[in-house]
Amino acid sequence: MNTIKVEIFGTGCKKCQQLEANAKEAIASLNLDAEVLHITDPVEIAQRGILSTPALAVNNKILSKGQVITSDRIKSLLQG
């Protein structure tokens, strides 16, 4: 199975940290092999077309912007 690349975009605020925790919880509950990155550079965030954070991307596809989605929602997105 390939490693999934999960990216959290945000400056490190409480909402961004919660989204990262939710993503890690979803990955663990699905027993997936994933690399979780937290992107805090505002230039990189803007270059990816993200105007509101926190945002979540899986394998370079942005799945949510401007909200903290639950680990259950992230699980459903990861399952496809």
Side-chain angles (χ1 to χ4, degrees):
M1 186 171 172
N2 294 337
T3 300
I4 297 170
K5 180 179 173 185
V6 178
E7 295 169 297
I8 309 296
F9 297 90
T11 57
C13 67
K14 188 173 182 178
K15 287 183 179 182
C16 300
Q17 292 170 359
Q18 184 61 55
L19 181 59
E20 182 175 0
N22 291 354
K24 288 179 177 179
E25 181 182 323
I27 290 163
S29 69
L30 293 172
N31 200 25
L32 296 175
D33 183 16
E35 174 186 19
V36 179
L37 303 170
H38 195 132
I39 311 301
T40 58
D41 179 19
V43 173
E44 185 174 349
I45 292 169
Q47 287 175 338
R48 295 286 291 272
I50 299 165
L51 301 177
S52 59
T53 58
L56 172 76
V58 175
N59 293 332
N60 297 315
K61 182 178 178 187
I62 297 169
L63 300 178
S64 77
K65 296 182 195 176
Q67 59 185 326
V68 178
I69 56 176
T70 65
S71 61
D72 286 339
R73 177 74 180 120
I74 296 168
K75 280 197 292 192
S76 69
L77 292 170
L78 290 172
Q79 291 172 318

Coordinates of all heavy atoms in Angstrom, one line a residue:
M1 N 0.8 -1.2 0.0 CA 0.0 0.0 0.0 C 0.9 1.2 0.0 O 1.9 1.3 0.7 CB -0.9 0.0 1.2 CG -1.9 1.1 1.3 SD -3.1 0.8 2.6 CE -4.0 2.3 2.6
N2 N 0.5 2.2 -0.8 CA 1.3 3.5 -0.9 C 1.0 4.4 0.3 O 0.0 4.3 0.9 CB 0.9 4.2 -2.2 CG 1.3 3.5 -3.4 OD1 2.2 2.6 -3.4 ND2 0.6 3.8 -4.5
T3 N 2.1 5.1 0.6 CA 1.9 6.1 1.7 C 1.1 7.3 1.2 O 1.3 7.8 0.1 CB 3.3 6.7 2.1 OG1 4.1 5.5 2.6 CG2 3.2 7.7 3.2
I4 N 0.1 7.7 2.0 CA -0.7 8.8 1.7 C -0.1 10.1 2.2 O 0.5 10.1 3.3 CB -2.1 8.6 2.4 CG1 -2.8 7.4 1.9 CG2 -3.0 9.9 2.2 CD1 -4.1 7.0 2.6
K5 N -0.1 11.1 1.4 CA 0.4 12.4 1.9 C -0.7 13.3 2.3 O -1.6 13.7 1.5 CB 1.2 13.1 0.7 CG 1.8 14.4 1.0 CD 2.5 14.9 -0.2 CE 3.1 16.3 0.0 NZ 3.6 16.9 -1.2
V6 N -0.7 13.6 3.6 CA -1.8 14.5 4.2 C -1.1 15.8 4.6 O -0.1 15.8 5.3 CB -2.4 13.8 5.4 CG1 -3.4 14.8 6.0 CG2 -3.0 12.5 5.0
E7 N -1.7 16.9 4.1 CA -1.1 18.2 4.4 C -2.2 19.1 5.1 O -3.3 19.1 4.7 CB -0.7 19.0 3.1 CG 0.4 18.3 2.4 CD 0.7 18.9 1.0 OE1 -0.2 18.8 0.2 OE2 1.8 19.4 0.8
I8 N -1.8 19.7 6.2 CA -2.6 20.6 6.9 C -2.0 22.0 6.6 O -0.8 22.2 6.8 CB -2.5 20.4 8.5 CG1 -2.8 18.9 8.8 CG2 -3.5 21.3 9.2 CD1 -4.2 18.4 8.4
F9 N -2.9 23.0 6.2 CA -2.4 24.3 5.9 C -3.0 25.3 7.0 O -4.2 25.3 7.2 CB -2.9 24.7 4.5 CG -2.3 23.9 3.4 CD1 -3.0 22.8 3.0 CD2 -1.1 24.3 2.8 CE1 -2.5 22.0 2.0 CE2 -0.6 23.5 1.8 CZ -1.3 22.4 1.4
G10 N -2.1 26.0 7.6 CA -2.5 27.0 8.6 C -1.3 27.5 9.3 O -0.2 26.9 9.3
T11 N -1.5 28.6 10.0 CA -0.3 29.3 10.7 C 0.0 28.7 12.0 O 0.9 29.2 12.7 CB -0.7 30.8 10.8 OG1 -1.9 30.9 11.6 CG2 -0.8 31.5 9.5
G12 N -0.7 27.7 12.4 CA -0.4 27.1 13.7 C -1.4 27.4 14.8 O -1.1 27.2 16.0
C13 N -2.5 28.0 14.4 CA -3.5 28.5 15.4 C -4.2 27.2 16.0 O -4.0 26.1 15.5 CB -4.5 29.4 14.7 SG -5.5 28.5 13.5
K14 N -5.1 27.4 16.9 CA -5.7 26.3 17.6 C -6.6 25.5 16.6 O -6.6 24.3 16.7 CB -6.6 26.9 18.7 CG -7.2 25.9 19.6 CD -7.9 26.5 20.8 CE -8.5 25.4 21.7 NZ -9.1 25.9 22.9
K15 N -7.3 26.2 15.7 CA -8.1 25.4 14.7 C -7.2 24.6 13.8 O -7.6 23.4 13.5 CB -8.9 26.4 13.9 CG -10.0 27.1 14.6 CD -10.8 28.0 13.7 CE -12.0 28.6 14.4 NZ -12.8 29.4 13.5
C16 N -6.1 25.1 13.4 CA -5.1 24.3 12.6 C -4.6 23.1 13.3 O -4.5 22.0 12.8 CB -4.0 25.2 12.1 SG -4.4 26.6 11.2
Q17 N -4.3 23.3 14.6 CA -3.8 22.2 15.4 C -4.9 21.1 15.6 O -4.6 19.9 15.6 CB -3.3 22.7 16.8 CG -2.1 23.6 16.7 CD -1.7 24.3 17.9 OE1 -2.4 24.2 18.9 NE2 -0.6 25.0 17.9
Q18 N -6.2 21.6 15.8 CA -7.3 20.6 15.9 C -7.5 19.8 14.7 O -7.7 18.6 14.7 CB -8.6 21.4 16.3 CG -9.7 20.4 16.6 CD -9.5 19.5 17.7 OE1 -9.2 19.9 18.8 NE2 -9.6 18.2 17.5
L19 N -7.4 20.5 13.5 CA -7.6 19.8 12.2 C -6.5 18.7 12.1 O -6.7 17.6 11.6 CB -7.5 20.8 11.0 CG -7.7 20.1 9.7 CD1 -9.0 19.4 9.5 CD2 -7.6 21.2 8.6
E20 N -5.2 19.1 12.4 CA -4.1 18.1 12.4 C -4.4 16.9 13.3 O -4.2 15.8 12.9 CB -2.8 18.8 12.7 CG -1.6 17.8 12.6 CD -0.3 18.5 12.8 OE1 -0.2 19.7 13.1 OE2 0.7 17.8 12.8
A21 N -4.9 17.2 14.5 CA -5.2 16.1 15.5 C -6.3 15.2 14.9 O -6.2 14.0 15.0 CB -5.6 16.7 16.8
N22 N -7.3 15.8 14.3 CA -8.4 15.1 13.7 C -7.9 14.2 12.6 O -8.3 13.0 12.4 CB -9.5 16.0 13.2 CG -10.3 16.7 14.3 OD1 -10.0 16.4 15.5 ND2 -11.1 17.6 14.0
A23 N -7.0 14.7 11.7 CA -6.5 14.0 10.6 C -5.7 12.8 11.1 O -5.8 11.7 10.6 CB -5.6 14.9 9.7
K24 N -4.8 13.0 12.1 CA -4.0 11.9 12.7 C -4.9 10.9 13.3 O -4.6 9.7 13.2 CB -3.0 12.5 13.7 CG -1.9 13.3 13.0 CD -0.9 13.8 14.1 CE 0.3 14.5 13.4 NZ 1.2 15.1 14.3
E25 N -6.0 11.3 14.0 CA -6.9 10.3 14.6 C -7.6 9.5 13.5 O -7.7 8.2 13.6 CB -8.0 11.1 15.4 CG -9.0 10.2 16.1 CD -10.0 11.0 16.8 OE1 -9.7 12.0 17.4 OE2 -11.2 10.5 16.8
A26 N -8.0 10.1 12.4 CA -8.6 9.4 11.3 C -7.7 8.4 10.7 O -8.0 7.2 10.4 CB -9.1 10.4 10.2
I27 N -6.4 8.8 10.4 CA -5.4 7.9 9.9 C -5.1 6.7 10.8 O -5.1 5.6 10.3 CB -4.1 8.8 9.6 CG1 -4.3 9.8 8.5 CG2 -2.9 7.8 9.3 CD1 -3.3 10.9 8.5
A28 N -5.0 7.0 12.0 CA -4.7 5.9 13.0 C -5.9 4.9 13.0 O -5.7 3.7 13.1 CB -4.5 6.5 14.4
S29 N -7.1 5.4 13.0 CA -8.3 4.5 13.1 C -8.5 3.7 11.9 O -9.0 2.6 12.0 CB -9.6 5.3 13.5 OG -9.9 6.1 12.3
L30 N -8.0 4.2 10.7 CA -8.0 3.4 9.5 C -6.8 2.6 9.3 O -6.7 1.8 8.3 CB -8.2 4.3 8.3 CG -9.6 5.0 8.2 CD1 -9.6 6.1 7.1 CD2 -10.7 4.1 8.0
N31 N -5.8 2.7 10.2 CA -4.5 2.0 10.1 C -3.8 2.2 8.8 O -3.4 1.3 8.1 CB -4.8 0.5 10.4 CG -3.5 -0.2 10.8 OD1 -2.6 0.5 11.3 ND2 -3.4 -1.5 10.5
L32 N -3.8 3.5 8.4 CA -3.2 3.9 7.1 C -1.7 4.3 7.3 O -1.3 4.7 8.3 CB -3.9 5.0 6.5 CG -5.4 4.8 6.1 CD1 -6.0 6.1 5.6 CD2 -5.5 3.7 5.0
D33 N -1.0 4.1 6.2 CA 0.4 4.5 6.2 C 0.4 5.9 5.6 O 0.1 6.1 4.4 CB 1.3 3.6 5.4 CG 2.7 4.0 5.4 OD1 3.2 4.8 6.2 OD2 3.5 3.5 4.5
A34 N 0.6 7.0 6.4 CA 0.5 8.3 6.0 C 1.6 9.2 6.5 O 2.0 9.0 7.6 CB -0.9 8.9 6.4
E35 N 1.9 10.2 5.7 CA 2.9 11.2 6.1 C 2.0 12.5 6.3 O 1.3 12.9 5.4 CB 3.9 11.5 4.9 CG 4.8 12.6 5.2 CD 5.7 12.9 3.9 OE1 5.4 12.5 2.8 OE2 6.7 13.6 4.2
V36 N 2.1 13.1 7.5 CA 1.3 14.2 7.8 C 2.3 15.4 7.9 O 3.2 15.4 8.6 CB 0.6 14.1 9.1 CG1 -0.2 15.3 9.5 CG2 -0.4 12.9 9.1
L37 N 2.0 16.4 7.1 CA 2.8 17.7 7.0 C 1.9 18.8 7.4 O 0.8 18.9 7.1 CB 3.3 17.9 5.6 CG 4.1 16.8 5.0 CD1 4.4 17.1 3.5 CD2 5.5 16.6 5.7
H38 N 2.5 19.8 8.2 CA 1.8 21.0 8.6 C 2.5 22.1 7.9 O 3.6 22.5 8.2 CB 1.8 21.2 10.1 CG 0.8 22.2 10.6 ND1 -0.1 21.9 11.6 CD2 0.5 23.4 10.1 CE1 -0.8 23.0 11.8 NE2 -0.5 23.9 10.9
I39 N 1.8 22.7 6.9 CA 2.4 23.8 6.1 C 2.0 25.2 6.8 O 0.8 25.5 6.8 CB 1.9 23.8 4.7 CG1 2.0 22.4 4.1 CG2 2.6 24.9 3.8 CD1 3.4 21.8 4.0
T40 N 3.0 25.9 7.2 CA 2.7 27.2 7.9 C 3.1 28.4 7.1 O 2.8 29.5 7.5 CB 3.4 27.2 9.3 OG1 4.8 27.1 9.1 CG2 2.8 26.1 10.2
D41 N 3.8 28.2 6.1 CA 4.4 29.3 5.3 C 3.2 30.0 4.5 O 2.6 29.4 3.6 CB 5.4 28.8 4.3 CG 6.0 29.9 3.4 OD1 5.9 31.1 3.8 OD2 6.6 29.6 2.4
P42 N 2.9 31.3 4.8 CA 1.8 31.9 4.1 C 1.9 32.0 2.6 O 1.0 32.0 1.9 CB 1.7 33.3 4.8 CG 2.9 33.4 5.6 CD 3.5 32.1 5.8
V43 N 3.2 32.1 2.1 CA 3.4 32.2 0.7 C 3.0 30.9 0.0 O 2.4 30.8 -1.0 CB 4.9 32.6 0.4 CG1 5.2 32.5 -1.1 CG2 5.2 34.0 0.9
E44 N 3.5 29.8 0.6 CA 3.2 28.5 0.1 C 1.7 28.2 0.1 O 1.1 27.7 -0.8 CB 3.9 27.4 0.8 CG 3.7 26.0 0.2 CD 4.5 24.9 0.8 OE1 5.4 25.2 1.6 OE2 4.2 23.7 0.5
I45 N 1.0 28.6 1.2 CA -0.4 28.4 1.4 C -1.1 29.2 0.2 O -2.0 28.7 -0.4 CB -0.9 28.9 2.8 CG1 -0.4 28.0 3.8 CG2 -2.4 29.0 2.8 CD1 -0.5 28.5 5.3
A46 N -0.7 30.4 0.0 CA -1.4 31.3 -1.1 C -1.1 30.7 -2.4 O -2.0 30.7 -3.3 CB -0.8 32.7 -1.0
Q47 N 0.1 30.1 -2.7 CA 0.4 29.6 -4.0 C -0.4 28.3 -4.3 O -0.7 28.0 -5.4 CB 1.9 29.2 -4.0 CG 2.9 30.3 -4.1 CD 4.3 30.0 -4.1 OE1 4.7 28.9 -3.5 NE2 5.2 30.8 -4.6
R48 N -0.9 27.7 -3.2 CA -1.8 26.5 -3.4 C -3.2 26.9 -3.6 O -4.1 26.1 -3.8 CB -1.7 25.6 -2.2 CG -0.3 24.9 -2.1 CD 0.1 23.9 -3.1 NE -0.7 22.7 -2.9 CZ -0.4 21.7 -2.1 NH1 0.7 21.7 -1.4 NH2 -1.2 20.6 -2.0
G49 N -3.5 28.2 -3.6 CA -4.9 28.7 -3.8 C -5.7 28.7 -2.6 O -7.0 28.8 -2.7
I50 N -5.1 28.6 -1.4 CA -5.9 28.6 -0.2 C -6.0 30.0 0.4 O -5.0 30.6 0.7 CB -5.3 27.6 0.8 CG1 -5.2 26.2 0.2 CG2 -6.0 27.6 2.1 CD1 -4.3 25.2 0.9
L51 N -7.2 30.5 0.5 CA -7.5 31.8 1.0 C -7.9 31.8 2.5 O -7.8 32.8 3.1 CB -8.5 32.5 0.1 CG -8.1 32.7 -1.3 CD1 -9.2 33.4 -2.1 CD2 -6.8 33.4 -1.5
S52 N -8.5 30.7 2.9 CA -8.9 30.6 4.3 C -8.4 29.3 4.9 O -8.5 28.2 4.3 CB -10.4 30.7 4.4 OG -11.1 29.7 3.7
T53 N -7.9 29.4 6.1 CA -7.3 28.2 6.8 C -8.2 28.0 8.0 O -8.9 28.8 8.5 CB -5.9 28.5 7.2 OG1 -5.8 29.6 8.1 CG2 -5.0 28.7 6.0
P54 N -8.1 26.8 8.6 CA -7.2 25.7 8.2 C -7.8 25.0 6.9 O -8.9 25.1 6.6 CB -7.3 24.7 9.4 CG -8.6 25.0 10.0 CD -8.9 26.4 9.8
A55 N -6.9 24.3 6.3 CA -7.2 23.6 5.1 C -6.6 22.2 5.1 O -5.5 22.0 5.8 CB -6.8 24.3 3.8
L56 N -7.2 21.3 4.4 CA -6.7 19.9 4.4 C -6.5 19.4 2.9 O -7.4 19.6 2.1 CB -7.7 19.0 5.1 CG -7.4 17.5 5.0 CD1 -6.3 17.1 6.0 CD2 -8.7 16.7 5.4
A57 N -5.4 18.8 2.7 CA -5.1 18.2 1.3 C -4.6 16.8 1.5 O -3.9 16.5 2.5 CB -4.1 19.0 0.5
V58 N -5.1 15.9 0.6 CA -4.6 14.6 0.6 C -4.1 14.3 -0.8 O -4.8 14.5 -1.8 CB -5.8 13.6 1.0 CG1 -5.3 12.1 0.8 CG2 -6.3 13.8 2.4
N59 N -2.8 13.8 -0.8 CA -2.2 13.6 -2.1 C -2.3 14.8 -3.1 O -2.7 14.6 -4.2 CB -2.7 12.3 -2.7 CG -2.3 11.1 -1.9 OD1 -1.3 11.1 -1.2 ND2 -3.1 10.0 -2.0
N60 N -2.1 15.9 -2.5 CA -2.1 17.2 -3.3 C -3.4 17.7 -3.7 O -3.5 18.6 -4.5 CB -1.1 17.2 -4.5 CG 0.3 17.0 -4.0 OD1 0.8 17.6 -3.1 ND2 1.0 16.1 -4.7
K61 N -4.5 17.0 -3.3 CA -5.9 17.5 -3.7 C -6.5 18.1 -2.4 O -6.6 17.5 -1.4 CB -6.7 16.3 -4.1 CG -8.1 16.7 -4.5 CD -8.9 15.5 -5.0 CE -10.3 15.9 -5.3 NZ -11.2 14.8 -5.6
I62 N -6.8 19.4 -2.5 CA -7.4 20.1 -1.4 C -8.9 19.6 -1.2 O -9.7 19.7 -2.1 CB -7.3 21.6 -1.7 CG1 -5.9 22.0 -1.7 CG2 -8.1 22.4 -0.5 CD1 -5.6 23.4 -2.2
L63 N -9.1 19.2 0.0 CA -10.4 18.6 0.4 C -11.3 19.5 1.3 O -12.5 19.3 1.3 CB -10.2 17.2 1.0 CG -9.5 16.2 0.2 CD1 -9.3 14.9 1.0 CD2 -10.2 15.9 -1.1
S64 N -10.7 20.4 2.0 CA -11.4 21.3 2.8 C -10.6 22.6 3.0 O -9.4 22.6 3.0 CB -11.8 20.7 4.2 OG -10.7 20.7 5.0
K65 N -11.4 23.7 3.1 CA -10.8 25.0 3.4 C -11.6 25.7 4.4 O -12.8 25.7 4.3 CB -10.7 25.9 2.1 CG -9.9 25.4 1.0 CD -10.0 26.4 -0.2 CE -9.5 25.8 -1.5 NZ -9.6 26.7 -2.6
G66 N -11.0 26.4 5.3 CA -11.6 27.3 6.2 C -12.5 26.7 7.3 O -13.3 27.4 7.9
Q67 N -12.3 25.4 7.6 CA -13.1 24.8 8.6 C -12.3 23.6 9.2 O -11.4 23.1 8.6 CB -14.4 24.3 8.1 CG -14.3 23.3 6.9 CD -15.6 22.9 6.3 OE1 -16.6 22.9 7.0 NE2 -15.7 22.7 5.0
V68 N -12.7 23.3 10.4 CA -12.1 22.2 11.1 C -13.1 21.0 10.9 O -14.2 21.0 11.5 CB -11.9 22.4 12.6 CG1 -11.4 21.2 13.3 CG2 -11.0 23.6 12.8
I69 N -12.7 20.1 10.0 CA -13.6 18.9 9.8 C -13.3 17.8 10.8 O -12.2 17.7 11.3 CB -13.6 18.5 8.4 CG1 -12.2 18.1 7.9 CG2 -14.2 19.5 7.4 CD1 -12.2 17.5 6.5
T70 N -14.3 17.0 11.1 CA -14.2 16.0 12.1 C -13.3 14.8 11.6 O -13.2 14.6 10.4 CB -15.5 15.4 12.6 OG1 -16.1 14.8 11.4 CG2 -16.4 16.6 13.1
S71 N -12.8 14.0 12.6 CA -12.1 12.9 12.2 C -12.9 11.9 11.4 O -12.5 11.2 10.4 CB -11.4 12.2 13.4 OG -12.4 11.7 14.3
D72 N -14.2 11.8 11.7 CA -15.1 10.9 10.9 C -15.3 11.4 9.5 O -15.3 10.6 8.6 CB -16.5 10.8 11.6 CG -16.5 10.0 12.9 OD1 -15.6 9.2 13.0 OD2 -17.4 10.2 13.7
R73 N -15.3 12.7 9.3 CA -15.4 13.2 7.9 C -14.1 13.0 7.2 O -14.1 12.6 6.0 CB -15.7 14.7 8.0 CG -15.8 15.4 6.7 CD -17.0 15.1 5.9 NE -17.0 15.8 4.6 CZ -17.0 15.2 3.4 NH1 -17.2 13.9 3.4 NH2 -17.0 15.9 2.3
I74 N -13.0 13.2 7.9 CA -11.7 12.9 7.2 C -11.6 11.4 6.9 O -11.1 11.1 5.8 CB -10.6 13.3 8.1 CG1 -10.6 14.9 8.3 CG2 -9.2 12.9 7.6 CD1 -9.7 15.4 9.4
K75 N -12.1 10.5 7.7 CA -12.1 9.1 7.4 C -12.8 8.8 6.1 O -12.4 8.1 5.3 CB -12.7 8.3 8.6 CG -11.7 8.1 9.7 CD -12.2 6.9 10.6 CE -13.4 7.2 11.4 NZ -13.6 6.3 12.5
S76 N -14.0 9.4 6.0 CA -14.8 9.2 4.8 C -14.1 9.7 3.5 O -14.2 9.1 2.5 CB -16.2 9.7 4.9 OG -16.2 11.1 4.9
L77 N -13.4 10.8 3.7 CA -12.6 11.4 2.5 C -11.4 10.5 2.2 O -11.2 10.3 1.0 CB -12.1 12.8 2.9 CG -13.2 13.9 3.0 CD1 -12.6 15.2 3.6 CD2 -13.9 14.2 1.7
L78 N -10.8 9.9 3.2 CA -9.6 9.1 3.0 C -10.1 7.8 2.3 O -9.3 7.2 1.6 CB -8.9 8.8 4.3 CG -8.1 10.0 4.9 CD1 -7.6 9.6 6.2 CD2 -7.0 10.4 4.0
Q79 N -11.2 7.3 2.7 CA -11.7 6.0 2.1 C -12.2 6.2 0.7 O -12.4 5.2 0.0 CB -12.8 5.4 3.0 CG -12.2 5.0 4.3 CD -13.3 4.6 5.3 OE1 -14.3 5.2 5.5 NE2 -13.1 3.5 6.0
G80 N -12.5 7.4 0.3 CA -12.7 7.7 -1.0 C -13.9 7.9 -1.8 O -14.2 7.7 -2.8

